[in-house]
Amino acid sequence: MGGAPERRDSLTATLLLLAVTAVWGSTFAMTKDVVAEVPVMDFLGVRFLLAAVVVAVLFPRSLRGLTGATLRRGVVLGLLYGVAQVAQTVGLQHTAASVSGFVTGMYVVCTPLLAALLLRERLPAVTWAAVPLAAVGIAVLSLRGVALGFGEGITLVGAVLYALHIVALGAWSTPAEAVRISVVQLAVIAVLGLAFGAPGGITLPSSTGVWLQVVYMAVFAAGLALAAQTWAQAHLPPTRAAIIMCTEPVFASLFGILIGGESLTGRLLVGGSIVLAAMLLAEAGPRRHVESEVPHLTV
């Protein structure tokens, strides 16, 4: 009897997560502009602090009844995501952006492995087929050379942490707790960024244009996006969520063409088509009740 509402919620969650990923893809050019003026850790700290404040102000009632379990889970999730951001940023300073994009995208491979290990999640064969297909698509989109060193290693650590975040978020999130747990995550990430940036002093944007970009990325690509992701993952198993989110480089390339004046290339057409095929393949897989797909971890 509950099949139709569950399918509707699953479809809504898929579309919402796809929209979130599109917003993330729109921020690549903006991030370049901002970090040219503001140190990376200062930017992350200010961005996520603004995001936490905005979400708390927009949803004040949701903060009532914050339980110890939600607080603990939010702190763990915030640390996972925040340290992943730091690892990705440090790695990017020691490797090419294309290689960083590919290695970071390996969270789509790590997610099902971690879900199987930590959650005892049994994935249908079609999902196992979609995972390597998505990895191939990401490689076509971003990889222009192969190198192994400190930069690639620390970036891979970040990818594993992103995968852990996706798995834990899928295990702990519920629709009722989505905003509460999101605010805690955002606050933890802000503290982490500000703590890393504090020794050299926090640098703020000096121009209106850069401030507007920071505000956009704080409100839409951090605060509302994380709240939406948290709600969506209450209705989707982690591996499906990871495959949907691996469309981010596709959206980044599309925004680069539409806004940044970049050219449409064969690499984008082929790689983007492969990633989208992987997403559709994962969505075509068999459906079971989300509670049976995503067992909840006890924390």
Side-chain angles (χ1 to χ4, degrees):
M1 292 180 62
E6 287 174 11
R7 286 194 295 271
R8 184 168 58 250
D9 286 344
S10 178
L11 177 60
T12 301
T14 297
L15 295 175
L16 186 60
L17 197 53
L18 199 58
V20 167
T21 307
V23 171
W24 288 338
S26 73
T27 64
F28 277 65
M30 296 182 193
T31 301
K32 276 185 173 183
D33 290 342
V34 174
V35 298
E37 181 175 317
V38 180
V40 172
M41 299 314 304
D42 297 7
F43 162 59
L44 291 177
V46 172
R47 173 187 175 185
F48 283 97
L49 179 60
L50 284 174
V53 171
V54 167
V55 174
V57 169
L58 289 177
F59 305 98
R61 293 183 181 179
S62 65
L63 295 179
R64 297 174 185 172
L66 180 66
T67 64
T70 299
L71 180 61
R72 289 192 299 273
R73 292 171 178 179
V75 169
V76 172
L77 289 165
L79 288 173
L80 285 172
Y81 193 90
V83 176
Q85 289 259 312
V86 174
Q88 183 183 10
T89 302
V90 172
L92 190 56
Q93 295 173 338
H94 298 275
T95 189
S98 59
V99 176
S100 175
F102 170 71
V103 177
T104 300
M106 287 300 96
Y107 69 76
V108 75
V109 176
C110 299
T111 298
L113 298 177
L114 291 171
L117 178 65
L118 299 176
L119 305 179
R120 307 297 183 194
E121 181 182 334
R122 292 185 298 173
L123 301 176
V126 68
T127 302
W128 282 113
V131 167
L133 187 62
V136 170
I138 294 171
V140 173
L141 276 169
S142 58
L143 197 60
R144 290 172 173 79
V146 179
L148 296 175
F150 172 77
E152 292 73 31
I154 195 69
T155 303
L156 183 60
V157 170
V160 174
L161 291 174
Y162 281 131
L164 275 172
H165 179 266
I166 292 169
V167 171
L169 189 59
W172 291 335
S173 61
T174 64
E177 293 288 312
V179 178
R180 289 190 188 95
I181 205 168
S182 297
V183 172
V184 176
Q185 286 185 82
L186 291 166
V188 170
I189 299 167
V191 169
L192 194 64
L194 292 173
F196 273 93
I202 302 300
T203 301
L204 299 177
S206 60
S207 65
T208 302
V210 175
W211 262 117
L212 289 175
Q213 291 175 316
V214 171
V215 170
Y216 169 80
M217 287 188 280
V219 176
F220 297 101
L224 297 181
L226 189 57
Q229 180 192 357
T230 304
W231 183 90
Q233 284 205 238
H235 300 278
L236 295 172
T239 301
R240 278 178 58 203
I243 292 173
I244 293 168
M245 288 188 286
C246 79
T247 58
E248 182 179 355
V250 179
F251 285 115
S253 298
L254 289 176
F255 278 107
I257 292 169
L258 296 174
I259 300 174
E262 298 179 8
S263 301
L264 179 63
T265 64
R267 179 185 291 270
L268 172 59
L269 290 173
V270 174
S273 297
I274 294 173
V275 169
L276 292 176
M279 187 188 72
L280 294 174
L281 184 62
E283 287 299 304
R287 294 286 184 271
R288 293 173 292 178
H289 194 283
V290 70
E291 290 297 329
S292 67
E293 287 189 283
V294 189
H296 280 219
L297 298 171
T298 300
V299 171

